[in-house]
């Protein structure tokens, strides 16, 4: 598959905004059984990480068409980082462990089209952050209800938003532009996610208040109970997701 072929066939477009991104170091042995065929684990400075990401999905369009009652919603996901050697070089991407959205139809479409691990849960958010990148103290929080309990991920901005520096962990977390999903038949799907580089605020008081074993599984408890190795809030942008291709 050439680079031009990977960019054809727009499936979804939306604005991703106010992304809380908390990352934790993890034993790669936990991730290896989850790696789709054709890719390998990626590292930053030799460290394997998983990220809990909460954000707003705004003005969502499927195949260019707004979907009634499904244009604006929240998402929270747990993901890790992989790469694949292609004809045009290394493609750096993400694999999702679990993605949470508030509507069943959204989860069903994502599971059907890409084989992604979406579930539907009641959700809510608290966002006190202006569009001004100089805002010093904004709070962004996303919550979801699972098995009768509310869980949340949150952080407070510190300083002004800056473009992620080349080679930084912020760049590593935000600039994996491919998605990979294992399929039931043992194969995998690759799809391109396009967006410009984001500005990020460093975060203080980052918090993941969650029954990790209940939501993500016992294997993630130790990692997600530790302090995050990085915590920031990204401003986000328009995002385009291309049609997937079987590897």
């Amino acid at each position: 598959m050439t680079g031009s072929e990977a960019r054809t066939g727009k499936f979804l477009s939306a604005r991703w905004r106010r992304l809380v991104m908390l990352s934790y170091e993890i034993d790669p042995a936990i991730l290896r059984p989850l790696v789709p065929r054709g890719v390998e684990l990626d590292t930053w400075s030799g460290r394997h990480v998983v990220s809990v990401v909460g954000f707003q999905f705004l003005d969502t369009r499927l195949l260019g068409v707004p979907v009634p009652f499904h244009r604006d919603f929240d998402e929270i996901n747990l993901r890790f980082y992989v790469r694949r050697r292609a004809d045009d070089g290394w493609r750096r991407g993400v694999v999702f462990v679990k993605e949470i959205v508030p509507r069943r139809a959204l989860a069903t479409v994502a599971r059907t089209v890409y084989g992604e691990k979406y579930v539907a849960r009641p959700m809510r958010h608290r966002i006190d952050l202006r569009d001004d990148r100089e805002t010093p103290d904004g709070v962004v929080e996303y919550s979801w209800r699972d098995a009768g309990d509310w869980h949340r991920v949150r952080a407070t901005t510190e300083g002004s938003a800056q473009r992620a520096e080349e080679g930084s962990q912020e760049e590593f977390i935000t600039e994996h532009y491919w998605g990979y999903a294992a399929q039931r038949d043992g194969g995998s799907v690759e799809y391109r996610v396009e967006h410009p580089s984001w500005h990020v605020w460093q975060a203080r008081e980052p918090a993941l208040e969650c029954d990790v074993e209940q939501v993500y599984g016992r294997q993630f408890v130790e990692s997600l109970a530790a302090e995050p190795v990085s915590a920031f809030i990204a401003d986000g942008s328009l995002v385009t997701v291309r049609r997937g291709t079987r590897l």
Side-chain angles (χ1 to χ4, degrees):
M1 181 176 62
T2 66
S4 61
E5 289 172 337
R7 290 169 174 78
T8 61
K10 181 189 295 187
F11 174 71
L12 178 148
S13 66
R15 286 183 293 125
W16 291 359
R17 298 303 307 275
R18 304 302 185 235
L19 297 96
V20 178
M21 311 187 85
L22 309 186
S23 298
Y24 303 82
E25 191 165 8
I26 191 169
D27 183 344
I30 295 172
L31 301 178
R32 288 191 185 106
L34 305 176
V35 176
R37 180 186 297 175
V39 301
E40 62 185 56
L41 290 172
D42 199 3
T43 62
W44 181 79
S45 295
R47 307 171 84 176
H48 294 84
V49 297
V50 291
S51 300
V52 178
V53 180
F55 63 103
Q56 292 179 293
F57 234 115
L58 303 176
D59 193 24
T60 305
R61 297 169 182 262
L62 290 175
L63 303 176
V65 179
V67 181
F69 309 113
H70 292 78
R71 293 184 64 180
D72 299 340
F73 55 92
D74 298 337
E75 178 177 322
I76 297 169
N77 62 60
L78 176 64
R79 70 190 203 179
F80 62 92
Y81 302 90
V82 297
R83 64 180 186 171
R84 183 177 83 87
R85 174 74 78 177
D87 292 341
D88 55 356
W90 283 108
R91 294 180 175 177
R92 305 177 79 180
V94 302
V95 175
F96 295 101
V97 177
K98 191 172 191 177
E99 296 160 276
I100 302 170
V101 290
R103 295 183 182 273
R104 292 185 182 278
L106 299 169
T108 299
V109 169
R111 287 196 303 265
T112 301
V113 175
Y114 290 112
E116 291 287 16
K117 300 175 180 66
Y118 271 82
V119 298
R121 300 288 186 267
M123 301 182 72
R124 63 192 184 194
H125 64 252
R126 173 194 171 196
I127 298 177
D128 180 18
L129 182 63
R130 300 193 305 270
D131 287 335
D132 180 6
R133 290 176 179 155
E134 300 298 319
T135 301
D137 294 309
V139 176
V140 182
E141 175 181 306
Y142 298 95
S143 304
W144 72 102
R145 188 174 177 87
D146 194 316
D149 297 319
W150 280 97
H151 316 267
R152 68 174 182 165
V153 57
R154 71 183 303 277
T156 301
T157 60
E158 184 172 62
S160 59
Q162 306 291 331
R163 192 175 299 277
E165 295 183 6
E166 184 176 354
S168 67
Q169 192 168 47
E170 291 80 10
E171 181 192 50
F172 176 84
I173 297 299
T174 59
E175 299 196 9
H176 276 66
Y177 291 112
W178 296 87
Y180 295 93
Q183 304 298 291
R184 292 183 177 180
D185 62 4
S188 58
V189 165
E190 174 188 71
Y191 55 92
R192 171 83 178 184
V193 180
E194 300 172 355
H195 65 77
S197 296
W198 292 332
H199 287 73
V200 300
W201 290 267
Q202 294 304 306
R204 57 183 174 85
E205 302 174 351
L208 174 63
E209 298 174 2
C210 171
D211 184 336
V212 175
E213 183 172 352
Q214 174 183 299
V215 176
Y216 297 118
R218 182 177 300 176
Q219 68 270 39
F220 293 101
V221 169
E222 182 176 356
S223 295
L224 298 185
E227 290 296 314
V229 295
S230 78
F232 59 89
I233 295 173
D235 59 354
S237 68
L238 178 66
V239 173
T240 297
V241 179
R242 298 292 176 178
R243 291 179 183 273
T245 301
R246 297 274 303 195
L247 294 183

